[in-house]
Amino acid sequence: MVLPKSKVTISDVAQEAGVSNSAVSYALNGKPGVSNKTRRKVLDVAEHLGWRPNSAAKALSDAKTHNVGLVLTYDTGILSVESYTMELIAGLTTELEKQGYSLLLRSSQSRQQEVAILKEWVSAGAVDAMLIMNLELGDPRMDLFKHHPDMPVLALCDVSIADGLPSLSDDAQSAAHLIVDYLHELGHRRIARIAGPETLEHTFIRDNAFVEEVAELGLQYSCFHTDYSPDEARSSTKRFLQLPERPTAIVYDSDVMALSSLKTIADMGLRVPDDLSVISWNNSFMCEVGLPSITALDRNVVARGRKAAQMMLALIAGDRVSSQREDDCSLIFRQSSGPLRIH
């Protein structure tokens, strides 16, 4: 039955055509993002139902910027050598460009400066959606978005910290289990971890995950928190290795910290992995070509960027987007880890 023209909505067309609201929007507005077959089907269904564009909605649609915003709040020295963010951006831009969207990227030196940039974007209508990352406990960005609930925002964090925003997170518990169980099977009983800032949500989540895993297996565990810089990684490594009962394995929360600590380990007269196993929470090309190559957790960050882009595009289209957790990480075994050797 054909509905009255004044009541036919994009949702009606989507339901009849068996596609998403965003697919209907792309097809009806002549935008890329759907196949020719889907576009023809949507147009035929829209004509059959008697769909007509709402003038107010069309004005809003035409006002879109086709920009998605991301502010990077990092020390420039750390950002210049850090691989995770670049891989994430590669995934984001690849997916956004398919739909004619661009990534609007800004850099800030403090959380206060980042909030100011986000406020500027909201007031100016500079972006159609925002991606926020590196959330802190009690993050000030959450208050901003509570006052602007119409702004589509995706948070890269655990759903428990997202404060009602749709979120995309990895499974820290599964990742910690992979690493700790692997080291336990190799015979290691004293494990250390060199982590990022403890104020960051993902560090807090990882901290709890590691504590639970080592407690279950009855292992000794110690952790130092750093700012992710190579200097602090080397300093923390040296402190661990000067202990009377030094750890036999160290897990680093980034590939840069793991790789930058190899010389420190060698300078202290220890060999990797004969005397000390080294594991990175992040995998990268650098882990593969390092000497020795670094055993690392592979989380497919580029795919995560693509997924984040898809979720933001769905938010822009007005779709309901639920929080998601990725659990497809795996441990890539390389030269830096091995069985505990008793000397």
Side-chain angles (χ1 to χ4, degrees):
M1 176 180 179
V2 177
L3 298 174
K5 292 181 180 180
S6 61
K7 294 185 179 181
V8 177
T9 66
I10 282 180
S11 295
D12 296 325
V13 177
Q15 183 175 1
E16 182 72 16
V19 298
S20 67
N21 285 9
S22 56
V24 172
S25 178
Y26 296 145
L28 294 177
N29 289 288
K31 297 178 181 178
V34 293
S35 67
N36 290 333
K37 180 180 179 181
T38 298
R39 191 184 307 278
R40 286 194 298 271
K41 182 178 181 180
V42 168
L43 293 175
D44 289 342
V45 169
E47 183 179 1
H48 172 69
L49 294 179
W51 177 86
R52 293 292 182 274
N54 178 283
S55 58
K58 189 174 188 304
L60 287 174
S61 176
D62 291 344
K64 289 189 181 303
T65 67
H66 289 87
N67 289 328
V68 168
L70 171 63
V71 182
L72 299 178
T73 302
Y74 282 98
D75 178 273
T76 53
I78 297 173
L79 182 60
S80 65
V81 296
E82 193 258 359
S83 63
Y84 174 89
T85 303
M86 295 302 103
E87 291 181 14
L88 182 73
I89 289 174
L92 284 168
T93 54
T94 297
E95 197 66 29
L96 290 173
E97 288 294 340
K98 290 180 183 178
Q99 311 299 338
Y101 271 78
S102 299
L103 180 65
L104 180 57
L105 196 62
R106 292 280 300 273
S107 175
S108 72
Q109 298 300 309
S110 67
R111 192 67 73 204
Q112 182 179 8
Q113 184 182 2
E114 178 178 353
V115 171
I117 293 172
L118 297 176
K119 286 181 178 179
E120 175 188 325
W121 281 349
V122 171
S123 61
V127 296
D128 298 333
M130 298 182 192
L131 179 68
I132 58 174
M133 55 191 292
N134 290 334
L135 272 77
E136 300 173 346
L137 303 177
D139 198 294
R141 290 171 289 183
M142 294 306 186
D143 287 335
L144 169 64
F145 297 128
K146 282 181 180 178
H147 289 91
H148 298 280
D150 294 334
M151 169 57 69
V153 179
L154 177 68
L156 289 184
C157 69
D158 190 83
V159 65
S160 64
I161 310 293
D163 203 15
L165 293 176
S167 65
L168 177 63
S169 67
D170 54 15
D171 190 343
Q173 194 72 50
S174 294
H177 175 77
L178 275 176
I179 295 171
V180 174
D181 193 56
Y182 168 63
L183 290 173
H184 178 260
E185 289 181 357
L186 291 176
H188 295 277
R189 297 297 179 265
R190 294 194 301 273
I191 300 173
R193 177 166 152 259
I194 297 180
E198 55 190 333
T199 56
L200 294 180
E201 165 271 338
H202 65 257
T203 303
F204 177 77
I205 297 291
R206 292 179 193 179
D207 287 348
N208 288 339
F210 263 92
V211 168
E212 290 180 15
E213 291 298 328
V214 296
E216 185 175 332
L217 294 173
L219 308 181
Q220 294 182 33
Y221 170 69
S222 301
C223 179
F224 288 147
H225 292 96
T226 72
D227 62 2
Y228 279 126
S229 70
D231 285 344
E232 286 207 11
R234 287 189 287 263
S235 174
S236 296
T237 299
K238 188 174 182 178
R239 290 166 62 196
F240 271 134
L241 298 182
Q242 289 174 332
L243 293 173
E245 289 192 340
R246 61 173 176 80
T248 61
I250 299 181
V251 180
Y252 295 83
D253 268 20
S254 80
D255 52 343
V256 171
M257 291 200 296
L259 286 158
S260 63
S261 298
L262 291 178
K263 185 177 185 301
T264 298
I265 297 168
D267 287 346
M268 297 185 71
L270 299 176
R271 296 168 299 171
V272 175
D274 293 351
D275 302 311
L276 181 73
S277 284
V278 169
I279 294 180
S280 169
W281 187 280
N282 282 340
N283 185 39
S284 69
F285 175 73
M286 294 187 296
C287 290
E288 185 178 348
V289 300
L291 293 174
S293 58
I294 304 293
T295 294
L297 194 68
D298 186 17
R299 297 183 291 156
N300 200 343
V301 180
V302 174
R304 190 181 200 202
R306 290 197 296 264
K307 183 64 179 178
Q310 292 166 3
M311 293 175 72
M312 284 188 289
L313 290 170
L315 286 170
I316 293 169
D319 294 346
R320 181 180 178 83
V321 176
S322 300
S323 295
Q324 298 187 33
R325 172 176 289 174
E326 301 172 304
D327 58 359
D328 59 347
C329 62
S330 59
L331 199 57
I332 299 181
F333 311 112
R334 297 194 178 102
Q335 297 168 341
S336 70
S337 61
L340 174 66
R341 299 192 180 185
I342 307 298
H343 297 285

